[in-house]
Amino acid sequence: MTKPTEKLELFEVFVRSKRGLDHKHVGSLHAEDHEQALEYARDCYTRRSEGVSLWVVKSSDICASQEDDADCFYDPNDDKPYRHATYYVLPDPVNNM
Amino acid sequence: MTPEEQNFMRKIEAEEKIEPKDWMPEAYRKNLIRQISQHAHSEVIGMQPEGNWITRAPSLRRKAVLLSKVQDEAGHGLYLYSAAETLGISRSEMIEQLQSGKAKYSSIFNYPTLTWADVAAIGWLVDGAAIVNQVSLQRTSYGPYSRGMIRICKEESFHQRQGYEAMLALAKGSPEQKAMAQDALNRFYWPALMMFGPHDSESAHSQKSMEWKIKRETNDDLRQKFIDQTVKQIEVLGLEHPDKNLKWNEERGHYDSSDLDWDEFWSVINGNGHCNRQRIEHHIAAHDEGEWVRDAIAAYNEKKRAKKAQNAA
Ligand SMILES: [Fe+2]
Ligand SMILES: [Fe+2]
Ligand SMILES: [Fe+2]
């Protein structure tokens, strides 16, 4: 008897498209374990040489911030425009320092 | 060469990044740990000369800006310690090496910040010099270091611009303010040039680092870049250039300049700068005084774990 897919563990898949770049989230899939998830991810997400490296992470291991709370979560940073380089107006001849 | 070494060198030559789980020569790993941890220590120790001025910055706006900048530097330290940790050294080992004097940090932070203009000069010149170096290091061969540099460079631009803006306010201010700006420029210009390290011919780690593409440009080339870009900036401030031998060289397409006081350079590196002892003593004191915070975190985590186990049972 095979397990229905939803009984399998859910994994998030991250692909590094080129050496030196960050891994980027591309999607998810169900698998029995990490090894199987890696193989499925290869077959699912990198059929056209999209990547040189794959990460699979159990979705249940990801702790995410709540987007609904984004306003108050990021609030402490919203009133600090002086953290941006563009906030400082400099004379033209040196403006691209 | 072993097949592993061959494969490693092939990646380096093809401009591919080396990642933490890749095979790498032991000397490459060591060299990287030395450079990245030294860089991390510089970010952290660098908070002291500026942090010293947060409560005394001349306006609420300048206080908020300086506080933000110093906070960024703590973040840079964290990115870099994390990058070094991917090479198999622990945070506490690195801190221990800093505190025992085994690991170095940038000598520039052993100069005192005597006036508010010094803080402006640091943002403009010291962060400016750091940017020249860090832009080049975005292309370093070690992946985590390279990605850390890209993130840091994005944040640095504000540091340099706020410094220049503060400098401009002083340079265009009262005669006393202008004199203060000139004095800060005169004192910080030379140590800022020394940040690029000794001449290439004297640099112990340079050759191997270049071969392995840990470093992408030589100390002298980076220094020249900084000298060239700073000329216009000094002119716009209306201040006098501290280097009386500065002269445009048409043939080279660069400015010629005075040689640096290398005796001073080595003396500060070897521990005899104005603030070497104070910087490390302060770091040790802050670390020790923070012990109860680390203990409290550990106790809280333990309590949380126990509670979870109880709920699960
Ligand atoms: Fe920094
Ligand atoms: Fe830096
Ligand atoms: Fe900075």
Side-chain angles (χ1 to χ4, degrees):
Chain A
M1 253 277 287
T2 50
K3 268 195 213 170
T5 28
E6 65 270 20
K7 288 273 164 60
L8 294 172
E9 191 84 51
L10 187 63
F11 288 86
E12 301 298 325
V13 181
F14 299 81
V15 176
R16 162 176 281 152
S17 59
K18 224 184 103 202
R19 293 185 69 92
L21 298 183
D22 294 304
H23 284 79
K24 224 170 145 185
H25 185 242
V26 289
S28 50
L29 49 75
H30 288 279
E32 176 67 32
D33 54 24
H34 284 107
E35 287 71 37
Q36 198 179 58
L38 262 186
E39 285 178 8
Y40 286 177
R42 176 199 60 198
D43 297 344
C44 245
Y45 290 105
T46 56
R47 286 194 307 280
R48 291 173 190 78
S49 42
E50 285 91 340
V52 294
S53 161
L54 277 169
W55 283 352
V56 290
V57 179
K58 280 187 193 165
S59 308
S60 58
D61 281 342
I62 289 181
C63 174
S65 64
Q66 286 318 111
E67 249 177 85
D68 291 346
D69 301 341
D71 280 353
C72 58
F73 193 66
Y74 294 108
D75 175 62
N77 298 318
D78 281 345
D79 59 350
K80 297 180 177 62
Y82 50 82
R83 281 183 174 158
H84 296 268
T86 45
Y87 175 79
Y88 303 89
V89 184
L90 301 182
D92 273 344
V94 295
N95 195 32
N96 64 345
M97 69 173 43
Chain B
M1 264 201 273
T2 66
E4 282 156 331
E5 281 174 291
Q6 263 168 12
N7 190 30
F8 171 81
M9 280 317 293
R10 182 196 57 73
K11 286 182 202 159
I12 297 281
E13 266 143 41
E15 293 290 321
E16 284 179 12
K17 300 296 180 211
I18 306 300
E19 296 296 342
K21 289 186 174 170
D22 294 349
W23 183 91
M24 60 187 87
E26 216 23 56
Y28 175 84
R29 181 188 302 274
K30 277 215 183 103
N31 199 320
L32 269 173
I33 290 179
R34 185 189 51 77
Q35 179 167 333
I36 302 175
S37 67
Q38 181 173 322
H39 196 158
H41 298 327
S42 302
E43 303 284 349
V44 168
I45 295 293
M47 288 192 282
Q48 290 186 40
E50 290 181 296
N52 183 33
W53 276 89
I54 290 173
T55 56
R56 293 180 288 158
S59 68
L60 186 58
R61 175 179 179 275
R62 298 274 182 219
K63 282 187 177 70
V65 168
L66 187 57
L67 190 60
S68 263
K69 178 191 189 287
V70 172
Q71 187 186 19
D72 273 357
E73 305 301 2
H76 296 173
L78 182 76
Y79 302 159
L80 286 159
Y81 281 130
S82 307
E85 280 165 335
T86 64
L87 291 157
I89 186 169
S90 72
R91 186 82 51 106
S92 47
E93 270 174 279
M94 287 187 273
I95 304 277
E96 156 62 28
Q97 290 176 356
L98 168 68
Q99 295 188 342
S100 70
K102 195 178 157 228
K104 304 264 185 246
Y105 55 88
S106 178
S107 274
I108 189 78
F109 302 118
N110 291 320
Y111 290 82
T113 35
L114 305 173
T115 69
W116 168 248
D118 288 7
V119 177
I122 286 183
W124 164 39
L125 295 172
V126 175
D127 287 72
I131 291 170
V132 169
N133 188 35
Q134 292 174 162
V135 164
S136 172
L137 284 172
Q138 293 181 81
R139 292 165 49 237
T140 188
S141 58
Y142 188 55
Y145 193 25
S146 158
R147 292 187 291 274
M149 283 299 110
I150 291 168
R151 186 154 296 127
I152 285 179
C153 282
K154 272 190 201 143
E155 301 184 1
E156 284 290 353
S157 172
F158 130 59
H159 298 179
Q160 192 188 19
R161 293 176 72 86
Q162 64 81 31
Y164 191 85
E165 189 206 48
M167 201 69 179
L168 196 60
L170 292 170
K172 303 291 176 201
S174 69
E176 289 82 1
Q177 287 174 317
K178 187 170 180 184
M180 204 204 273
Q182 182 70 57
D183 173 58
L185 169 59
N186 293 348
R187 278 182 294 109
F188 274 93
Y189 182 73
W190 304 104
L193 295 187
M194 292 179 193
M195 286 172 68
F196 296 99
H199 282 313
D200 301 328
S201 49
E202 314 268 312
S203 176
H205 308 283
S206 256
Q207 206 203 331
K208 223 35 191 166
S209 288
M210 294 288 288
E211 226 169 88
W212 281 330
K213 298 188 179 169
I214 293 175
K215 275 170 64 169
R216 303 309 308 259
E217 285 164 281
T218 68
N219 295 353
D220 287 327
D221 285 349
L222 292 167
R223 182 164 24 239
Q224 182 73 60
K225 230 179 236 184
F226 180 73
I227 291 173
D228 292 348
Q229 78 177 30
T230 306
V231 174
K232 188 85 205 164
Q233 295 165 3
I234 295 177
E235 197 187 299
V236 169
L237 289 169
L239 297 178
E240 250 179 67
H241 200 293
D243 188 351
K244 299 301 164 228
N245 294 316
L246 189 88
K247 208 170 151 245
W248 178 251
N249 182 326
E250 191 66 57
E251 212 172 300
R252 293 201 308 127
H254 291 292
Y255 283 93
D256 290 337
S257 55
S258 304
D259 199 14
L260 302 177
D261 182 350
W262 293 110
D263 290 340
E264 175 181 321
F265 173 83
W266 292 114
S267 150
V268 180
I269 281 204
N270 291 324
N272 303 314
H274 281 281
C275 303
N276 296 55
R277 209 165 326 145
Q278 186 190 333
R279 298 292 183 237
I280 292 301
E281 272 170 12
H282 183 82
H283 190 279
I284 292 173
H287 195 70
D288 290 350
E289 282 162 22
E291 175 111 51
W292 71 269
V293 180
R294 296 190 292 278
D295 288 348
I297 292 171
Y300 178 72
N301 289 344
E302 193 43 54
K303 214 167 124 183
K304 238 169 57 176
R305 231 186 325 255
K307 210 170 186 181
K308 242 190 206 155
Q310 205 181 28
N311 288 348

